[in-house]
Amino acid sequence: VQLQASGGGLVQAGGSLRLSCAASGSIFSINAMGWYRQAPGKQRELVADITSGGNTNYADSVKGRFTVSRDNAKNTVYLQMNSLKPEDTAVYYCNAGRVILYGGPYEYDYWGQGTQVTVSS
């Protein structure tokens, strides 16, 4: 299974970016897909995730500014980031959690390679 993330870049404070992450491989189902971020000198933290049923979860710091969505048919998760702040600067990683492969029954977690988001003040 591979997760390919895209959409990072440099943006001014107040601007917007949209991240995408597509999972590929012999995937039967993915329970949760989401985004984490890691800023220099800090631990990786959850930004937002979404279950296959559409239930979402957000970090308090991004509520009202970021929106996570998902296309189950394409095994793709998106993160729309609006009103970006310099403190949102980090490497953003996508995650696919509790993945069941064809032939099952075990569940696995997978990570994408990370995409840099830089917000200038």
Side-chain angles (χ1 to χ4, degrees), residues 19-32:
L19 305 183
S20 300
C21 177
S24 61
S26 185
I27 300 169
F28 176 74
S29 67
I30 305 175
N31 179 269

Side-chain angles (χ1 to χ4, degrees), residues 27-58:
I27 300 169
F28 176 74
S29 67
I30 305 175
N31 179 269
M33 298 187 78
W35 295 92
Y36 290 70
R37 67 186 180 187
Q38 188 167 19
K42 295 188 177 181
Q43 290 188 331
R44 189 174 298 189
E45 62 175 1
L46 173 69
V47 176
D49 62 15
I50 181 169
T51 68
S52 57
N55 293 320
T56 58
N57 181 39
Y58 293 92

Side-chain angles (χ1 to χ4, degrees), residues 19 36-40 44-45 47 88-93 113-118:
L19 305 183
Y36 290 70
R37 67 186 180 187
Q38 188 167 19
R44 189 174 298 189
E45 62 175 1
V47 176
D88 295 317
T89 295
V91 178
Y92 283 69
Y93 297 91
Q113 82 281 13
T115 184
Q116 177 70 45
V117 171
T118 303

Side-chain angles (χ1 to χ4, degrees), residues 38-112:
Q38 188 167 19
K42 295 188 177 181
Q43 290 188 331
R44 189 174 298 189
E45 62 175 1
L46 173 69
V47 176
D49 62 15
I50 181 169
T51 68
S52 57
N55 293 320
T56 58
N57 181 39
Y58 293 92
D60 288 342
S61 60
V62 306
K63 284 181 181 177
R65 300 187 298 123
F66 291 11
T67 302
V68 64
S69 61
R70 176 174 173 172
D71 185 332
N72 290 328
K74 295 181 179 180
N75 288 329
T76 300
V77 62
Y78 306 95
L79 185 68
Q80 178 66 43
M81 305 185 291
N82 299 328
S83 302
L84 282 160
K85 303 175 180 180
E87 50 264 43
D88 295 317
T89 295
V91 178
Y92 283 69
Y93 297 91
C94 64
N95 172 267
R98 297 181 61 189
V99 178
I100 299 177
L101 306 179
Y102 280 105
Y106 301 106
E107 298 178 336
Y108 302 91
D109 283 359
Y110 296 94
W111 291 91

